[in-house]
Amino acid sequence: MNRFTFSWCAWQTLFLRIAIAGLVLLGTTFVVVSRDEKLAGAWCTGLVGGANPWVGPSANHTMRIDNASISSAHWVAASNGAGMWNGVSGLTYGAAMMNGVYGDFNLYATNFGSWGWPNVPGITFNYDSAWNVESWPDPSHAYSQIFLNNTWSWNTSGYLNQSSKNADVTTVVGHEAGHSAGLNHPGACHVMCCNEPTSVMNPTYTKKWAINSDDIGGLNVFY
Ligand SMILES: [Zn+2]
């Protein structure tokens, strides 16, 4: 199960603990770095967690929605999640139905527990050109797949509740699409400040239907 140790979205405190450890180890230098909001989640490039950009020119990336596992009632909301990132730094992010044709960027729903994955709403795996889950450090990825946990209750109204396992499709897909674009959590490698707490890439259980200046700053580092 080594292939599942990268790029999953820990909507819990794992990365917070890593950040605290970093704070202890790096001392004053760490605090200074944490003040640079423009670097955003992209600062975390190279950490386990899978922050790296698409290979080559940013180009177009169409997230293909698996119409077998993703409810039709959620297709538009899922498309809106990917679309949050469209047009930023030349990145073209759209969505289309899979219709049996897999792309370089796919969205499915599955039972996370059956794969031994943590009980979180979403996970993203990025892959190299041979479809191996990216190793670390890895400069770029060629494929990306987002999974939603089908044991959670999903809505399109913006409601998220960790304890009752309710999640909003657009918020989670938008967050995971940020991972597919190469971003990590802004709190993964430093104490958050400025606009980082309200960024889409900060994994809080709150409605987020639009990226903010911090998310954009992260993409600007990559593309
Ligand atoms: Zn995440």
Side-chain angles (χ1 to χ4, degrees):
M1 283 295 155
N2 179 57
R3 60 186 290 257
F4 299 132
T5 59
F6 298 97
S7 301
W8 57 274
C9 169
W11 288 47
Q12 49 192 16
T13 59
L14 174 62
F15 288 130
L16 179 59
R17 290 197 295 273
I18 293 171
I20 291 171
L23 181 62
V24 172
L25 290 172
L26 299 177
T28 303
T29 301
F30 180 89
V31 173
V32 170
V33 170
S34 74
R35 299 301 178 191
D36 190 343
E37 66 169 315
K38 291 181 179 178
L39 294 178
W43 192 87
C44 299
T45 298
L47 274 188
V48 172
N52 59 25
W54 287 97
V55 67
S58 57
N60 303 327
H61 296 285
T62 299
M63 182 186 74
R64 294 191 179 275
I65 300 170
D66 176 34
N67 55 8
S69 65
I70 303 291
S71 164
S72 61
H74 297 155
W75 291 349
V76 171
S79 176
N80 289 342
M84 285 185 199
W85 304 92
N86 186 46
V88 179
S89 301
L91 192 69
T92 301
Y93 253 34
M97 300 316 299
M98 190 172 280
N99 293 325
V101 180
Y102 297 79
D104 62 350
F105 181 20
N106 305 309
L107 174 70
Y108 309 87
T110 190
N111 183 324
F112 285 19
S114 69
W115 292 97
W117 300 346
N119 192 9
V120 292
I123 290 177
T124 299
F125 296 111
N126 292 334
Y127 308 80
D128 64 20
S129 58
W131 277 99
N132 295 310
V133 173
E134 62 183 5
S135 56
W136 170 79
D138 209 359
S140 61
H141 61 272
Y143 302 100
S144 184
Q145 304 209 91
I146 297 172
F147 296 89
L148 303 183
N149 193 340
N150 67 11
T151 67
W152 282 53
S153 295
W154 291 90
N155 67 79
T156 58
S157 62
Y159 178 68
L160 297 102
N161 186 302
Q162 183 177 19
S163 59
S164 62
K165 308 302 180 196
N166 278 272
D168 170 62
V169 174
T170 300
T171 298
V172 175
V173 173
H175 177 91
E176 298 303 327
H179 285 311
S180 78
L183 296 176
N184 207 324
H185 300 156
C189 56
H190 58 246
V191 177
M192 287 187 287
C193 75
C194 317
N195 292 321
E196 290 177 338
T198 57
S199 69
V200 165
M201 293 317 296
N202 184 27
T204 54
Y205 288 84
T206 53
K207 173 186 173 182
K208 292 167 188 163
W209 284 4
I211 59 176
N212 76 1
S213 60
D214 187 74
D215 297 306
I216 293 169
L219 278 199
N220 283 340
V221 173
F222 285 150
Y223 303 104

